[in-house]
Amino acid sequence: MQPLKSRPVIVLNFKTYREATGEGAVSLARIAERVRQEQGVNIMVSVQHTDIYRVAGSVNIPVLAQHIDAREPGSWTGHVTAEAVKASGAVGSLVNHSERRLTLADIGACIAALKRLDLLSVLCTDTPETSAAGAALAPDMLAVEPPELIGTGISVSKAKPEVVTKTVELVRRVNNEVIILCGAGISSADDVARAIELGTEGVLLASAYVKAKDPYGLLASMAKAAKDSFRR
Amino acid sequence: MQPLKSRPVIVLNFKTYREATGEGAVSLARIAERVRQEQGVNIMVSVQHTDIYRVAGSVNIPVLAQHIDAREPGSWTGHVTAEAVKASGAVGSLVNHSERRLTLADIGACIAALKRLDLLSVLCTDTPETSAAGAALAPDMLAVEPPELIGTGISVSKAKPEVVTKTVELVRRVNNEVIILCGAGISSADDVARAIELGTEGVLLASAYVKAKDPYGLLASMAKAAKDSFRR
Amino acid sequence: MQPLKSRPVIVLNFKTYREATGEGAVSLARIAERVRQEQGVNIMVSVQHTDIYRVAGSVNIPVLAQHIDAREPGSWTGHVTAEAVKASGAVGSLVNHSERRLTLADIGACIAALKRLDLLSVLCTDTPETSAAGAALAPDMLAVEPPELIGTGISVSKAKPEVVTKTVELVRRVNNEVIILCGAGISSADDVARAIELGTEGVLLASAYVKAKDPYGLLASMAKAAKDSFRR
Amino acid sequence: MQPLKSRPVIVLNFKTYREATGEGAVSLARIAERVRQEQGVNIMVSVQHTDIYRVAGSVNIPVLAQHIDAREPGSWTGHVTAEAVKASGAVGSLVNHSERRLTLADIGACIAALKRLDLLSVLCTDTPETSAAGAALAPDMLAVEPPELIGTGISVSKAKPEVVTKTVELVRRVNNEVIILCGAGISSADDVARAIELGTEGVLLASAYVKAKDPYGLLASMAKAAKDSFRR
């Protein structure tokens, strides 16, 4: 398998979509596994907490949690620790997704906890400025997503290219190592290519994949576009 | 197996304790399964989201989630839906635990979602007054737990018996069907007996079981005490 | 002045509307004061925390806070205590407004704190079921507001009369004393009349008053309609 | 009056202490006003939302809010906008105090809103890493406070000097203009001197001042220590 930090990166967020729950999550992860192997692109899936064990146990693809709480193991009913997602087979977690925002203090604590357990951190942010702030916390990956475009099918790389380029510029002043992704509205191979041409190293997408009529075809074309744009 | 609503009830909350994560959760659930079968008492385990599928798949005991979010399946990254916990094998969920409080509106929505999916709702509350309020929402079970006693080893049934009796009194004015439990500091068979003598129909406990040197012995004695007190 | 609990009641919520901030809040409160005196109807204004002292100090009308936190005075930066709103001249507070939801435990604590300081509690809820739950906590007033209608101009009393009648029915099973209001979309004297005919004792409204071209004319007609309907 | 950004800075946080509510807030602000004038040190008071208008209207000292919400004026009951604190006389606000944490996205939005209204932003953070992150958002001032020392009387400048020096170092890599303060446990003139010797430009304190037997004497000695250490 490619190393977890090999680039370009495609993170597939399954959210809590009905199609991507339980057996559905396993099926969609299996398709992603196939494309990952065929294309040699670093594709990961981010699944619901309840599906981590099931997917990680049956599919050979890196599995991310969608969220962790800034809590050590202990007396915290209904919370999700870094230790728990690791014990169920995840290799890392999204942090601070637009639909699950965290305090700055908790983002710091989550990234530190993931590092401590040798887990991958994928920090989500909303603007170039908060991206630079997040980069100062040294996550492994950083995904900028203007919330107003999430789920619209209008891709950030086309609708707001200046958000992407400004993010790359501000982040690089603070951190040279973080892998920069962008998300929100990524729906086609062309969106992926544009994202990478703007200076990112991959994308984060959700509904376009989960609800695709032909998820295999879509993802294969995206992976190919990512590879081709990244090489140039 | 006893029906899910048979009384008395013992709910074991695994919280995010390290000992009760992953394989640890499976082991502690297996002990509970044995006592459930031997004693014929309605014992349930409430495990971390990441462990539901693993425990429900390997142990024959009713598994509850520790929390669900008031969200339908959809574009909600990092949330936990009633649909997801059902798909991974849970038969119900705690709602509004002291360590994971919900708004009144969300409590209403969670109980409604659980009912719709034919899942058990175990609503947690903190005072006789909020218990009466909660009872008006018609959960299947209601567990009153004064937060200041949780994890102390000082049981509510001994330290604050008037909270328990007042809760039973106020709840019964509003709702005759809800199964009333009490929790916080329940550590021994004697605490369980006292709880039931005060008018409850079971208990909710966590650290005493998870951290017991002999969890089997403790739980067996509690189950026996529950049965004996309940019969009288 | 009429007693704080005289019926019918009209609560004007100024929200954080620009027109209802600072001097704007004083002006809108002064208009309400005039209608209150002319019509003899129990009209109250609920203003931003930053405007309580200013409005209460210059206008002779009962002033409510829009929210309090479930906190005693102490080491709580940026919170709003019942003691603070009383010290600045408020006679009570909204609790759990749709735009500022609280946990069930905090609702219980807020209502208890308001009672302890002899302040009026106006609990907001969203469904007949949560209204019954809230009524068990014995607030002075309870305002049911389906969130999906707030700010629409489509009044709950016309669009969802069954929510209002069901609320009155479920609340009265639990509590005979609480004053029942309804809100969401109340825009005209006719909406007020309908609300009272459905069994409520008043209304809660916001944008219709704050953004009215003629707030005096609108409120005077509403107060008259409230009086007339209530008498019958 | 000194410019709002003149250094050194002493910010007095009144929290929701009973002694610092209503008339108490005015009295404590008046003492601070006197020391500000006598010593020529940039002392500011951060008061409860309900007291901003009252204090700003009667005392000649810069008044900060303790918190604002990341909301534009509009349909947001119970929230506090930057516009509202400005309309009541505040010259700025604390942002993200340890007792009122915000999401990273909201911190970004609050700082942007304060800038837009020409108000001062004082961002609070908990570690050197989150301080660097916060500095990337370009607030006017940044106050690092290890939460575990707040209210203890054990000053960060003595108990954790390495937190202060590390913060100064990491922040200066990202931002050369932000005024760096430190807080938590600051109780004496000596604590203030130490803080400034460690490279900060002022302090944030609360209980030591609010609960002092002789607040005038304490603050005068602190202001003198700040001036003397800062000059060197």
Side-chain angles (χ1 to χ4, degrees), chain A residues 13 15-18 21-22 48-54 66-67 69 72-81 83-85 87-88 94 97 99-100 150, chain B residues 13 15-18 21-22 48-54 66-67 69 72-81 83-85 87-88 94 97 99-100 150:
Chain A
N13 179 4
K15 299 197 175 184
T16 53
Y17 288 121
R18 202 179 294 272
T21 300
Q48 295 169 64
H49 295 124
T50 42
D51 288 326
I52 295 174
Y53 185 78
R54 191 173 194 165
Q66 292 175 9
H67 162 75
D69 290 300
E72 304 284 313
S75 190
W76 302 109
T77 301
H79 288 82
V80 181
T81 64
E83 282 77 3
V85 303
S88 55
L94 302 189
H97 187 276
E99 293 151 9
R100 200 69 163 83
I150 292 180
Chain B
N13 178 5
K15 299 195 173 184
T16 54
Y17 288 121
R18 202 178 294 273
T21 300
Q48 295 169 65
H49 295 124
T50 44
D51 289 326
I52 294 174
Y53 185 77
R54 191 173 194 164
Q66 292 175 10
H67 161 75
D69 289 301
E72 303 285 312
S75 190
W76 302 110
T77 300
H79 288 82
V80 182
T81 64
E83 281 77 4
V85 305
S88 56
L94 302 188
H97 187 275
E99 292 151 9
R100 201 69 163 86
I150 292 180

Coordinates of all heavy atoms in Angstrom, one line a residue, chain A residues 13 15-18 21-22 48-54 66-67 69 72-81 83-85 87-88 94 97 99-100 150, chain B residues 13 15-18 21-22 48-54 66-67 69 72-81 83-85 87-88 94 97 99-100 150:
Chain A
N13 N -15.3 11.5 2.2 CA -16.0 11.6 3.4 C -17.4 11.0 3.3 O -18.2 11.5 2.5 CB -16.1 13.1 3.8 CG -16.9 13.4 5.0 OD1 -17.3 12.5 5.7 ND2 -17.1 14.7 5.3
K15 N -19.8 10.9 5.5 CA -20.8 11.7 6.3 C -21.7 10.7 7.0 O -21.3 9.5 7.3 CB -21.5 12.7 5.5 CG -20.5 13.8 4.9 CD -21.3 15.0 4.4 CE -20.3 16.1 3.9 NZ -20.9 17.3 3.5
T16 N -22.9 11.1 7.2 CA -23.9 10.1 7.8 C -25.0 9.8 6.7 O -26.1 9.5 7.0 CB -24.6 10.7 9.0 OG1 -25.2 12.0 8.7 CG2 -23.7 10.8 10.2
Y17 N -24.5 9.8 5.4 CA -25.4 9.5 4.4 C -25.9 8.0 4.5 O -25.2 7.1 4.9 CB -24.7 9.6 3.0 CG -24.5 11.0 2.6 CD1 -23.2 11.4 2.3 CD2 -25.5 11.9 2.4 CE1 -22.9 12.7 1.9 CE2 -25.3 13.2 2.1 CZ -24.0 13.6 1.8 OH -23.8 14.9 1.4
R18 N -27.2 7.9 4.3 CA -27.9 6.6 4.4 C -27.2 5.5 3.5 O -26.9 4.4 3.9 CB -29.3 6.7 4.0 CG -30.2 5.6 4.5 CD -31.7 5.8 4.1 NE -32.3 7.0 4.7 CZ -32.9 7.0 5.8 NH1 -33.0 5.9 6.6 NH2 -33.5 8.1 6.3
T21 N -23.8 4.0 5.1 CA -23.9 3.5 6.5 C -23.9 2.0 6.5 O -24.5 1.3 5.6 CB -25.3 4.0 7.1 OG1 -25.3 5.4 7.1 CG2 -25.5 3.5 8.5
G22 N -23.2 1.3 7.4 CA -23.2 -0.1 7.5 C -22.7 -0.8 6.3 O -21.6 -0.5 5.8
Q48 N -18.4 6.8 9.4 CA -19.0 7.0 10.7 C -18.3 6.1 11.8 O -17.8 5.1 11.5 CB -20.5 6.6 10.6 CG -21.2 7.6 9.6 CD -22.6 7.1 9.3 OE1 -23.5 7.1 10.2 NE2 -22.9 6.8 8.1
H49 N -18.3 6.6 13.0 CA -17.7 5.9 14.1 C -18.2 4.5 14.2 O -17.4 3.6 14.5 CB -18.0 6.6 15.4 CG -17.4 8.0 15.5 ND1 -18.1 9.1 15.7 CD2 -16.1 8.4 15.3 CE1 -17.3 10.2 15.7 NE2 -16.0 9.7 15.4
T50 N -19.5 4.3 14.0 CA -20.1 3.0 14.1 C -19.6 2.0 13.0 O -19.9 0.8 13.1 CB -21.6 3.1 14.0 OG1 -21.9 4.1 13.0 CG2 -22.2 3.6 15.4
D51 N -19.0 2.6 11.9 CA -18.6 1.7 10.8 C -17.1 1.5 10.7 O -16.6 0.8 9.8 CB -19.1 2.3 9.5 CG -20.6 2.2 9.3 OD1 -21.2 1.2 9.8 OD2 -21.2 3.1 8.8
I52 N -16.3 2.1 11.6 CA -14.9 2.0 11.5 C -14.4 0.6 11.5 O -13.7 0.1 10.7 CB -14.1 2.8 12.6 CG1 -14.4 4.3 12.4 CG2 -12.6 2.6 12.5 CD1 -13.9 5.2 13.5
Y53 N -14.9 -0.1 12.6 CA -14.4 -1.5 12.8 C -14.8 -2.4 11.6 O -14.0 -3.2 11.1 CB -15.0 -2.0 14.1 CG -14.5 -3.4 14.5 CD1 -13.3 -3.6 15.1 CD2 -15.3 -4.5 14.3 CE1 -12.8 -4.8 15.4 CE2 -14.9 -5.8 14.6 CZ -13.6 -5.9 15.2 OH -13.2 -7.2 15.6
R54 N -16.0 -2.2 11.2 CA -16.6 -3.0 10.1 C -15.8 -2.8 8.8 O -15.4 -3.7 8.1 CB -18.0 -2.6 9.9 CG -18.9 -3.5 9.0 CD -20.3 -3.0 9.2 NE -21.3 -3.9 8.6 CZ -22.6 -3.7 8.9 NH1 -23.0 -2.7 9.7 NH2 -23.5 -4.5 8.4
Q66 N -14.4 10.5 11.3 CA -14.8 11.8 10.8 C -14.7 12.9 11.9 O -14.8 14.1 11.7 CB -16.3 11.7 10.4 CG -16.5 10.9 9.2 CD -18.0 10.7 8.9 OE1 -18.9 11.4 9.5 NE2 -18.3 9.8 8.0
H67 N -14.4 12.5 13.1 CA -14.3 13.4 14.3 C -13.8 12.6 15.5 O -14.0 11.4 15.6 CB -15.7 13.9 14.6 CG -15.9 14.5 15.9 ND1 -15.4 15.7 16.3 CD2 -16.5 14.0 17.1 CE1 -15.7 16.0 17.5 NE2 -16.3 15.0 18.0
D69 N -13.2 13.5 19.9 CA -13.4 14.5 20.9 C -12.0 14.7 21.6 O -11.2 13.8 21.7 CB -14.4 14.1 21.9 CG -15.8 14.1 21.4 OD1 -16.3 15.2 21.0 OD2 -16.5 13.0 21.4
E72 N -9.3 12.4 26.9 CA -8.5 11.2 27.2 C -9.5 10.1 27.5 O -10.6 10.4 27.9 CB -7.6 11.4 28.4 CG -6.7 12.6 28.3 CD -5.5 12.2 27.4 OE1 -4.9 11.1 27.6 OE2 -5.2 13.0 26.5
P73 N -9.1 8.8 27.4 CA -10.0 7.8 27.9 C -10.4 8.0 29.3 O -9.6 8.6 30.1 CB -9.1 6.5 27.8 CG -8.2 6.8 26.7 CD -7.9 8.3 26.9
G74 N -11.6 7.7 29.7 CA -12.1 8.0 31.1 C -13.6 8.1 31.2 O -14.3 7.5 30.5
S75 N -14.0 9.0 32.1 CA -15.4 9.1 32.4 C -16.1 10.1 31.5 O -16.5 11.1 32.0 CB -15.5 9.5 33.9 OG -16.8 9.4 34.4
W76 N -16.2 9.7 30.3 CA -16.8 10.6 29.3 C -17.8 9.8 28.4 O -17.5 9.5 27.3 CB -15.7 11.1 28.3 CG -14.6 11.9 29.0 CD1 -13.3 11.5 29.2 CD2 -14.7 13.2 29.6 NE1 -12.6 12.4 29.9 CE2 -13.5 13.5 30.2 CE3 -15.8 14.1 29.8 CZ2 -13.2 14.7 30.8 CZ3 -15.5 15.3 30.4 CH2 -14.2 15.6 31.0
T77 N -19.0 9.6 28.9 CA -20.0 8.9 28.2 C -20.3 9.6 26.8 O -20.5 10.8 26.8 CB -21.3 8.9 29.0 OG1 -21.0 8.2 30.3 CG2 -22.4 8.1 28.3
G78 N -20.4 8.8 25.8 CA -20.9 9.3 24.5 C -19.9 10.1 23.7 O -20.2 10.7 22.7
H79 N -18.6 10.1 24.2 CA -17.5 10.7 23.5 C -16.7 9.7 22.7 O -16.8 8.5 22.9 CB -16.7 11.5 24.5 CG -17.3 12.7 25.0 ND1 -18.2 12.7 26.1 CD2 -17.3 14.0 24.6 CE1 -18.7 13.9 26.3 NE2 -18.1 14.7 25.5
V80 N -15.9 10.3 21.8 CA -15.1 9.4 20.9 C -13.6 9.8 21.1 O -13.2 10.9 20.8 CB -15.5 9.6 19.5 CG1 -14.7 8.7 18.6 CG2 -17.0 9.3 19.3
T81 N -12.8 8.9 21.7 CA -11.4 9.3 21.9 C -10.5 8.8 20.7 O -10.9 7.9 19.9 CB -10.9 8.5 23.2 OG1 -10.9 7.1 22.9 CG2 -11.7 8.9 24.4
E83 N -8.0 7.1 21.1 CA -7.7 5.7 21.5 C -8.7 4.8 20.9 O -8.4 3.7 20.4 CB -7.6 5.5 23.0 CG -6.3 6.0 23.6 CD -6.2 7.5 23.8 OE1 -7.2 8.2 23.4 OE2 -5.1 8.0 24.2
A84 N -10.0 5.2 21.0 CA -11.1 4.3 20.5 C -11.1 4.1 19.0 O -11.3 3.0 18.5 CB -12.4 4.9 21.0
V85 N -10.8 5.2 18.3 CA -10.8 5.1 16.8 C -9.6 4.2 16.4 O -9.7 3.5 15.5 CB -10.9 6.4 16.1 CG1 -12.1 7.2 16.5 CG2 -9.7 7.3 16.2
A87 N -8.3 1.8 18.3 CA -8.6 0.4 18.6 C -9.5 -0.2 17.7 O -9.6 -1.5 17.6 CB -9.2 0.4 20.1
S88 N -10.3 0.6 17.0 CA -11.3 -0.1 16.0 C -10.7 -0.1 14.6 O -11.4 -0.6 13.7 CB -12.6 0.6 16.1 OG -12.5 2.0 15.9
L94 N -10.4 13.0 10.6 CA -10.7 14.4 10.3 C -10.8 15.2 11.6 O -11.2 14.6 12.7 CB -12.1 14.6 9.6 CG -12.3 13.9 8.2 CD1 -13.6 14.3 7.6 CD2 -11.1 14.1 7.3
H97 N -14.2 19.4 11.1 CA -15.0 19.5 9.8 C -16.1 20.6 10.0 O -16.6 20.8 11.1 CB -15.7 18.2 9.5 CG -16.3 18.2 8.1 ND1 -17.6 18.7 7.9 CD2 -15.9 17.8 6.9 CE1 -17.9 18.6 6.6 NE2 -16.9 18.1 6.0
E99 N -19.0 20.6 9.6 CA -20.3 20.2 10.2 C -20.1 19.7 11.6 O -21.0 19.2 12.3 CB -20.9 19.1 9.4 CG -21.4 19.6 8.0 CD -21.4 18.6 6.9 OE1 -21.2 17.4 7.2 OE2 -21.6 19.0 5.7
R100 N -18.8 19.9 12.1 CA -18.5 19.4 13.5 C -17.3 20.3 14.0 O -16.2 19.8 14.2 CB -18.1 17.9 13.4 CG -18.2 17.2 14.7 CD -19.6 17.0 15.1 NE -19.8 16.0 16.1 CZ -19.6 16.2 17.4 NH1 -19.3 17.4 17.9 NH2 -19.8 15.2 18.3
I150 N -20.1 23.6 0.4 CA -20.2 22.2 0.7 C -21.6 21.7 0.2 O -22.6 22.2 0.5 CB -20.0 22.0 2.2 CG1 -18.6 22.3 2.5 CG2 -20.4 20.5 2.5 CD1 -18.2 22.1 4.0
Chain B
N13 N -22.8 1.0 31.8 CA -22.2 2.1 31.0 C -20.7 1.9 30.9 O -20.0 2.1 31.9 CB -22.7 3.4 31.5 CG -22.1 4.6 30.7 OD1 -21.5 4.4 29.6 ND2 -22.4 5.8 31.1
K15 N -18.7 3.8 29.2 CA -18.1 5.1 29.0 C -16.9 5.0 28.0 O -17.0 4.2 27.1 CB -17.6 5.7 30.4 CG -18.8 5.9 31.4 CD -18.4 6.8 32.5 CE -19.7 7.1 33.4 NZ -19.4 8.0 34.5
T16 N -15.9 5.9 28.2 CA -14.7 5.7 27.3 C -13.5 5.2 28.1 O -12.4 5.6 27.9 CB -14.3 7.1 26.7 OG1 -14.2 8.1 27.7 CG2 -15.4 7.5 25.7
Y17 N -13.8 4.4 29.1 CA -12.8 3.8 29.9 C -11.8 3.0 29.0 O -12.3 2.2 28.2 CB -13.3 3.0 31.0 CG -14.0 3.8 32.1 CD1 -15.3 3.6 32.5 CD2 -13.3 4.7 32.9 CE1 -15.9 4.3 33.5 CE2 -13.9 5.4 33.9 CZ -15.2 5.2 34.2 OH -15.8 5.9 35.2
R18 N -10.6 3.1 29.3 CA -9.6 2.4 28.5 C -9.8 0.9 28.6 O -9.8 0.1 27.7 CB -8.2 2.7 29.1 CG -7.0 2.4 28.1 CD -5.7 2.8 28.7 NE -5.5 4.2 29.0 CZ -5.1 5.1 28.1 NH1 -4.7 4.7 26.9 NH2 -4.9 6.4 28.3
T21 N -12.6 -0.5 26.2 CA -12.5 -0.1 24.8 C -12.0 -1.3 23.9 O -11.2 -2.1 24.4 CB -11.4 1.0 24.6 OG1 -11.9 2.1 25.4 CG2 -11.3 1.5 23.2
G22 N -12.6 -1.5 22.7 CA -12.1 -2.6 21.8 C -12.3 -3.9 22.4 O -13.4 -4.3 22.9
Q48 N -19.1 2.3 23.6 CA -18.7 3.3 22.7 C -19.1 3.1 21.2 O -19.3 1.9 20.8 CB -17.1 3.5 22.7 CG -16.6 4.0 24.1 CD -15.1 3.9 24.2 OE1 -14.4 4.6 23.5 NE2 -14.7 3.0 25.1
H49 N -19.4 4.1 20.5 CA -19.9 4.0 19.1 C -19.0 3.1 18.3 O -19.4 2.3 17.5 CB -20.0 5.3 18.4 CG -21.0 6.2 19.1 ND1 -20.7 7.5 19.6 CD2 -22.3 6.0 19.4 CE1 -21.8 8.0 20.1 NE2 -22.8 7.1 20.0
T50 N -17.7 3.2 18.5 CA -16.7 2.4 17.8 C -16.7 1.0 18.1 O -16.1 0.2 17.4 CB -15.3 3.0 18.0 OG1 -15.2 3.3 19.5 CG2 -15.1 4.3 17.3
D51 N -17.4 0.6 19.2 CA -17.4 -0.8 19.7 C -18.7 -1.5 19.5 O -18.9 -2.7 19.8 CB -17.0 -0.9 21.2 CG -15.5 -0.6 21.4 OD1 -14.7 -0.9 20.5 OD2 -15.2 0.0 22.4
I52 N -19.7 -0.8 19.0 CA -21.1 -1.4 18.9 C -21.1 -2.6 18.0 O -21.5 -3.7 18.4 CB -22.1 -0.4 18.4 CG1 -22.3 0.8 19.4 CG2 -23.5 -1.1 18.1 CD1 -23.2 1.9 18.9
Y53 N -20.5 -2.4 16.8 CA -20.5 -3.5 15.8 C -19.8 -4.7 16.4 O -20.2 -5.9 16.2 CB -19.9 -3.0 14.5 CG -20.0 -4.0 13.4 CD1 -21.2 -4.3 12.7 CD2 -18.9 -4.8 13.0 CE1 -21.3 -5.2 11.7 CE2 -18.9 -5.7 12.0 CZ -20.1 -5.9 11.3 OH -20.2 -6.8 10.3
R54 N -18.6 -4.5 16.9 CA -17.8 -5.5 17.5 C -18.4 -6.3 18.6 O -18.4 -7.5 18.6 CB -16.5 -4.8 18.0 CG -15.3 -5.7 18.3 CD -14.2 -4.8 18.6 NE -12.9 -5.4 18.7 CZ -11.7 -4.8 18.6 NH1 -11.7 -3.4 18.5 NH2 -10.6 -5.4 18.7
Q66 N -24.2 5.0 23.6 CA -24.1 5.9 24.8 C -24.7 7.3 24.4 O -24.9 8.1 25.3 CB -22.7 6.1 25.2 CG -22.1 4.8 25.8 CD -20.6 5.0 26.1 OE1 -20.0 6.1 26.1 NE2 -19.9 3.9 26.4
H67 N -25.0 7.5 23.2 CA -25.5 8.8 22.7 C -25.9 8.7 21.3 O -25.2 8.0 20.5 CB -24.3 9.8 22.9 CG -24.5 11.1 22.1 ND1 -25.4 12.1 22.5 CD2 -23.9 11.5 21.0 CE1 -25.3 13.0 21.6 NE2 -24.4 12.7 20.7
D69 N -27.0 11.7 18.1 CA -27.3 13.0 17.8 C -28.7 13.2 17.2 O -29.2 12.2 16.6 CB -26.3 13.6 16.7 CG -24.9 13.7 17.3 OD1 -24.8 14.5 18.3 OD2 -24.0 13.1 16.8
E72 N -31.1 13.3 11.3 CA -31.5 12.3 10.3 C -30.2 12.0 9.5 O -29.3 12.8 9.4 CB -32.5 12.9 9.3 CG -33.8 13.4 9.9 CD -34.7 12.3 10.3 OE1 -34.9 11.4 9.5 OE2 -35.2 12.3 11.5
P73 N -30.2 10.8 8.8 CA -29.0 10.5 7.9 C -28.9 11.7 6.9 O -29.9 12.2 6.5 CB -29.5 9.2 7.2 CG -30.4 8.6 8.2 CD -31.1 9.7 8.9
G74 N -27.7 12.0 6.6 CA -27.5 13.1 5.6 C -26.1 13.7 5.7 O -25.2 13.1 6.1
S75 N -26.1 15.0 5.4 CA -24.8 15.7 5.4 C -24.4 16.2 6.7 O -24.3 17.4 7.0 CB -25.0 16.9 4.4 OG -23.7 17.5 4.1
W76 N -24.0 15.3 7.6 CA -23.7 15.6 9.0 C -22.4 14.9 9.4 O -22.4 13.9 10.1 CB -24.8 15.2 9.9 CG -26.1 15.8 9.7 CD1 -27.2 15.2 9.2 CD2 -26.5 17.2 9.9 NE1 -28.2 16.1 9.1 CE2 -27.8 17.3 9.5 CE3 -25.8 18.3 10.4 CZ2 -28.5 18.5 9.5 CZ3 -26.5 19.5 10.4 CH2 -27.8 19.6 10.0
T77 N -21.3 15.3 9.0 CA -20.0 14.7 9.3 C -19.8 14.6 10.8 O -20.0 15.6 11.5 CB -18.9 15.6 8.7 OG1 -19.0 15.6 7.2 CG2 -17.5 15.0 9.0
G78 N -19.3 13.4 11.2 CA -18.9 13.3 12.6 C -20.1 13.2 13.6 O -19.9 13.2 14.8
H79 N -21.3 13.0 13.1 CA -22.4 12.8 13.9 C -22.8 11.3 14.0 O -22.3 10.5 13.2 CB -23.6 13.7 13.5 CG -23.4 15.1 13.7 ND1 -22.7 15.9 12.9 CD2 -23.8 15.9 14.7 CE1 -22.6 17.2 13.4 NE2 -23.3 17.2 14.5
V80 N -23.7 11.0 14.9 CA -24.1 9.6 15.1 C -25.7 9.6 15.0 O -26.3 10.1 15.9 CB -23.6 9.1 16.4 CG1 -24.0 7.6 16.6 CG2 -22.1 9.2 16.6
T81 N -26.2 8.9 14.0 CA -27.6 8.9 13.9 C -28.2 7.6 14.5 O -27.5 6.6 14.7 CB -28.0 8.8 12.4 OG1 -27.5 7.6 11.8 CG2 -27.4 10.0 11.6
E83 N -30.1 5.7 13.0 CA -30.0 4.7 11.9 C -28.6 4.0 12.0 O -28.6 2.8 11.8 CB -30.2 5.4 10.5 CG -31.6 5.7 10.1 CD -32.2 6.9 10.9 OE1 -31.4 7.6 11.6 OE2 -33.4 7.2 10.6
A84 N -27.6 4.8 12.2 CA -26.2 4.2 12.3 C -26.1 3.2 13.4 O -25.5 2.2 13.3 CB -25.2 5.3 12.3
V85 N -26.6 3.6 14.6 CA -26.4 2.7 15.7 C -27.2 1.4 15.5 O -26.8 0.3 15.9 CB -26.6 3.3 17.1 CG1 -25.8 4.6 17.3 CG2 -28.1 3.6 17.3
A87 N -27.9 0.1 12.5 CA -27.2 -0.7 11.5 C -26.0 -1.4 12.0 O -25.6 -2.4 11.4 CB -26.8 0.3 10.3
S88 N -25.4 -0.9 13.1 CA -24.3 -1.6 13.6 C -24.6 -2.6 14.8 O -23.8 -3.2 15.4 CB -23.2 -0.6 14.1 OG -23.7 0.3 15.0
L94 N -28.7 5.3 25.2 CA -28.8 6.3 26.3 C -29.1 7.7 25.6 O -28.6 7.9 24.5 CB -27.5 6.5 27.1 CG -27.0 5.3 27.8 CD1 -25.8 5.7 28.7 CD2 -28.0 4.6 28.7
H97 N -27.1 11.7 28.7 CA -26.3 11.3 29.8 C -25.6 12.6 30.4 O -25.3 13.5 29.7 CB -25.2 10.3 29.5 CG -24.5 9.8 30.7 ND1 -23.4 10.5 31.2 CD2 -24.7 8.7 31.5 CE1 -23.0 9.8 32.3 NE2 -23.7 8.7 32.5
E99 N -22.8 13.3 31.1 CA -21.6 13.7 30.4 C -21.8 14.1 28.9 O -20.8 14.3 28.2 CB -20.5 12.6 30.6 CG -20.1 12.4 32.0 CD -19.6 11.0 32.4 OE1 -19.5 10.2 31.5 OE2 -19.5 10.8 33.6
R100 N -23.0 14.1 28.5 CA -23.3 14.4 27.1 C -24.7 14.9 27.0 O -25.6 14.3 26.5 CB -23.2 13.1 26.3 CG -23.0 13.2 24.8 CD -21.7 13.8 24.5 NE -21.3 13.6 23.1 CZ -21.6 14.4 22.2 NH1 -22.3 15.5 22.4 NH2 -21.2 14.2 21.0
I150 N -21.8 11.0 40.5 CA -21.3 10.1 39.5 C -19.8 9.8 39.6 O -19.0 10.8 39.8 CB -21.6 10.6 38.0 CG1 -23.1 10.7 37.8 CG2 -20.9 9.8 37.0 CD1 -23.5 11.2 36.4

